[in-house]
C-alpha cells in the first residue's frame, strides 16, 4: 500500500503538474533516512556507533548506497523509453535474481513448493499484464524499447543485490545500521546525480500547495516503505518480500479505476487472487535458512535457561547442571568433577 501511495502521488505530479523529477523525490527520502537513522547511529555508544561502523565497513555501505540509488533511477527512467507493460513484466526478474543470490550468499535452500509458489505469483503478474493490454491501459509504444527493457533488467538486478544485502545486514547487525548507512551514502549519491541531471527540471517546477502536498505524500510513503521493509525482511526473507511487492501494481490499478478512470477488468481480481495464493503458499513452508535460524533461536533459549536435573541416588546424591553448550558439572559428597557434555 505504501508503494501504491508513491505511484499515485508520482502520477499526479506527472499528469496534472508536469513534474518529472524521480531523483529529487528519491533524494528527499534518502535525506529523511539520513536525518533519522544516521542521527540515531551518531548518538550511539560502543561498536554500534557511526564512527566505528564507518571505520570497519564504510566501503561496503558506499557500494550498497550507490546500488540502491541507481536501481531506483534505472527503473523510473525506463518508463520514458518502453511501455508500462514491459516494465511490469521485466521488473519481476528481481525474484529469480534474489533467489539466485540468496542461494549462494545467504546459503538459502528452497523446496519444490517454493518454486511452485513463485511460478504462481509470476503467472498472476502475466494475467495482470494481459488485462492491461486488453484494456489498452499501457502507455505508449515506447520510443526506444530495447534501451528501456535493458534499463528495467539492470534495475531488477541491482534491486536483487540491494535486497539480499539488506537481508544479510538486518539479520546479522541491525535495522538502524542498514538504514542509517544507506541514508548517509545514498543522500550523497542522489544529491550529486540530482544536481547533474535534474537541475533544469527543478527550476521549471511551478510550486503551489498541491505540488508540495504531493511531494510530502510521496516522501512519507517512501520513508515508511524503507523503514518497515527491514522489519519484514528480518521476519521472512527477501524473496518473500518481493513476491508480496507484486500486489503493489494491482493496488495501483484498483485506485486508478477511481482516480484516473482506468477501465476495470475482472482479470485484475483473478490476478490478485493468484498472487496472494502463491504468496501464502511460499510462506507456508520455511526455507532451509529459516529452519536453521529457528534451531539457532531454540539453542539460544536453552543456553539462556539451563535445565536443572536432580538425580536421587540412595548411595551418593548427585546434581547435574546441563545445557547445550556448557559442560556437565557433577557434584558429590567427596569430589567435584567437570566432564564435557555431548
Amino acid at each position: 500500500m505504501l508503494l501504491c501511495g508513491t505511484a499515485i502521488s508520482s502520477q499526479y505530479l506527472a499528469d496534472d503538474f508536469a513534474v518529472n523529477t524521480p531523483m529529487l523525490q528519491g533524494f528527499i527520502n534518502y535525506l529523511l533516512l539520513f536525518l533519522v537513522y544516521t542521527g540515531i547511529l551518531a548518538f550511539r555508544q560502543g561498536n554500534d556507533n557511526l564512527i566505528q561502523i564507518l571505520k570497519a565497513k564504510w566501503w561496503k555501505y558506499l557500494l550498497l548506497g550507490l546500488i540502491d540509488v541507481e536501481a531506483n533511477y534505472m527503473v523510473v527512467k525506463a518508463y520514458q523509453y518502453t511501455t508500462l507493460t514491459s516494465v511490469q513484466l521485466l521488473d519481476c526478474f528481481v525474484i529469480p535474481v534474489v533467489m539466485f543470490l540468496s542461494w549462494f550468499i545467504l546459503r538459502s535452500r528452497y523446496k519444490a513448493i517454493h518454486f511452485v509458489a513463485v511460478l504462481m505469483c509470476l503467472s498472476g503478474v502475466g494475467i495482470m499484464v494481459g488485462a492491461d493490454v486488453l484494456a489498452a491501459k499501457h502507455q505508449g509504444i515506447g520510443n526506444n524499447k530495447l534501451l528501456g527493457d535493458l534499463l528495467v533488467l539492470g534495475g531488477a538486478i541491482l534491486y536483487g543485490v540491494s535486497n539480499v544485502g539488506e537481508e544479510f545486514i538486518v539479520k546479522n547487525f541491525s535495522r538502524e545500521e542498514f538504514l542509517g548507512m544507506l541514508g548517509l551514502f545514498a543522500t550523497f549519491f542522489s544529491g550529486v546525480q540530482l544536481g547533474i541531471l535534474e537541475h533544469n527540471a527543478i527550476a521549471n517546477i511551478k510550486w503551489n500547495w498541491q505540488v508540495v502536498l504531493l511531494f510530502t505524500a510521496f516522501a512519507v510513503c517512501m520513508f515508511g516503505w524503507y523503514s518497515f521493509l527491514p522489519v519484514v525482511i528480518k521476519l521472512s526473507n527477501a524473496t518473500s518480500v518481493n513476491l508480496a511487492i507484486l500486489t503493489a501494481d494491482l493496488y495501483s490499478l484498483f485506485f486508478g479505476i477511481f482516480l484516473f478512470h482506468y477501465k476495470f477488468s475482472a482479470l485484475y481480481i483473478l490476478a490478485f487472487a493468484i498472487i496472494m495464493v502463491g504468496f501464502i503458499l511460499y510462506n507456508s513452508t520455511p526455507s532451509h535458512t529459516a529452519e536453521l535460524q529457528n534451531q539457532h533461536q531454540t539453542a539460544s533459549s536453552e543456553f539462556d535457561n539451563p535445565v536443572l536435573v536432580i538425580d536421587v541416588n540412595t548411595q551418593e546424591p548427585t546434581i547435574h547442571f546441563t545445557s547445550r553448550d556448557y559442560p556437565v558439572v557433577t557434584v558429590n559428597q567427596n569430589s567435584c568433577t567437570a566432564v564435557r557434555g555431548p
Side-chain angles (χ1 to χ4, degrees):
M1 293 299 290
L2 288 169
L3 282 182
C4 174
T6 64
I8 291 173
S9 55
S10 293
Q11 187 153 359
Y12 266 121
L13 284 170
D15 292 350
D16 294 0
F17 301 97
V19 175
N20 292 286
T21 54
M23 192 55 66
L24 174 61
Q25 292 164 246
F27 174 78
I28 295 172
N29 169 59
Y30 291 129
L31 183 61
L32 289 174
L33 293 176
F34 170 78
L35 294 175
V36 175
Y37 294 103
T38 310
I40 291 174
L41 295 180
F43 287 100
R44 275 186 173 177
Q45 302 296 323
N47 293 331
D48 291 336
N49 182 270
L50 175 63
I51 303 300
Q52 298 301 321
I53 295 173
L54 283 173
K55 287 181 179 179
K57 296 170 281 189
W58 66 272
W59 64 272
K60 298 178 182 178
Y61 285 111
L62 182 146
L63 288 177
L64 196 61
L66 179 61
I67 287 171
D68 196 80
V69 169
E70 298 309 321
N72 284 318
Y73 179 76
M74 289 175 75
V75 172
V76 174
K77 190 70 174 177
Y79 283 98
Q80 297 181 17
Y81 301 105
T82 189
T83 63
L84 175 61
T85 302
S86 294
V87 173
Q88 289 173 332
L89 274 177
L90 295 174
D91 197 32
C92 295
F93 185 63
V94 69
I95 295 173
V97 170
V98 167
M99 294 183 76
F100 176 81
L101 293 176
S102 296
W103 183 284
F104 289 100
I105 297 176
L106 303 178
R107 298 293 187 266
S108 297
R109 294 297 178 264
Y110 302 102
K111 300 176 182 177
I113 192 172
H114 295 125
F115 293 102
V116 171
V118 169
L119 289 175
M120 284 189 66
C121 291
L122 294 180
S123 66
V125 174
I127 293 173
M128 178 185 66
V129 171
D132 283 352
V133 174
L134 293 175
K137 193 196 73 63
H138 57 293
Q139 300 169 353
I141 58 173
N143 55 19
N144 194 338
K145 195 173 186 301
L146 177 60
L147 175 59
D149 291 349
L150 290 176
L151 284 171
V152 179
L153 289 174
I157 293 173
L158 294 181
Y159 272 135
V161 175
S162 177
N163 288 164
V164 172
E166 181 173 359
E167 180 178 350
F168 178 82
I169 293 167
V170 299
K171 289 184 176 179
N172 291 278
F173 301 102
S174 72
R175 164 179 170 265
E176 291 79 10
E177 178 174 328
F178 170 76
L179 293 174
M181 300 307 292
L182 179 66
L184 176 64
F185 289 107
T187 299
F188 170 76
F189 287 120
S190 62
V192 172
Q193 201 161 333
L194 169 68
I196 297 173
L197 300 177
E198 292 186 356
H199 58 278
N200 290 327
I202 295 173
N204 293 328
I205 295 176
K206 297 179 181 178
W207 294 96
N208 57 47
W209 68 270
Q210 293 170 306
V211 171
V212 172
L213 183 62
L214 288 170
F215 268 103
T216 303
F218 179 92
V220 170
C221 288
M222 187 59 79
F223 178 77
W225 162 254
Y226 269 81
S227 296
F228 289 125
L229 183 61
V231 178
V232 183
I233 285 182
K234 188 171 184 178
L235 293 174
S236 55
N237 54 63
T239 305
S240 175
V241 169
N242 278 282
L243 291 176
I245 290 173
L246 297 179
T247 59
D249 287 332
L250 282 164
Y251 291 139
S252 298
L253 290 174
F254 292 147
F255 279 104
I257 292 170
F258 300 100
L259 299 177
F260 305 111
H261 308 294
Y262 292 163
K263 183 179 178 181
F264 176 77
S265 172
L267 291 176
Y268 293 152
I269 304 296
L270 177 62
F272 181 80
I274 291 176
I275 290 174
M276 290 305 298
V277 170
F279 176 69
I280 293 171
L281 187 65
Y282 182 92
N283 287 282
S284 65
T285 304
S287 64
H288 182 62
T289 304
E291 291 173 347
L292 291 178
Q293 289 169 351
N294 291 335
Q295 293 174 5
H296 176 73
Q297 290 173 356
T298 304
S300 299
S301 176
E302 293 180 2
F303 177 85
D304 294 334
N305 300 283
V307 180
L308 175 62
V309 181
I310 303 177
D311 294 331
V312 180
N313 190 312
T314 55
Q315 296 179 351
E316 188 175 53
T318 305
I319 300 177
H320 298 287
F321 291 88
T322 66
S323 75
R324 185 178 292 272
D325 298 314
Y326 275 1
V328 177
V329 181
T330 304
V331 183
N332 57 46
Q333 291 177 335
N334 302 320
S335 63
C336 179
T337 308
V339 233
R340 173 71 62 183

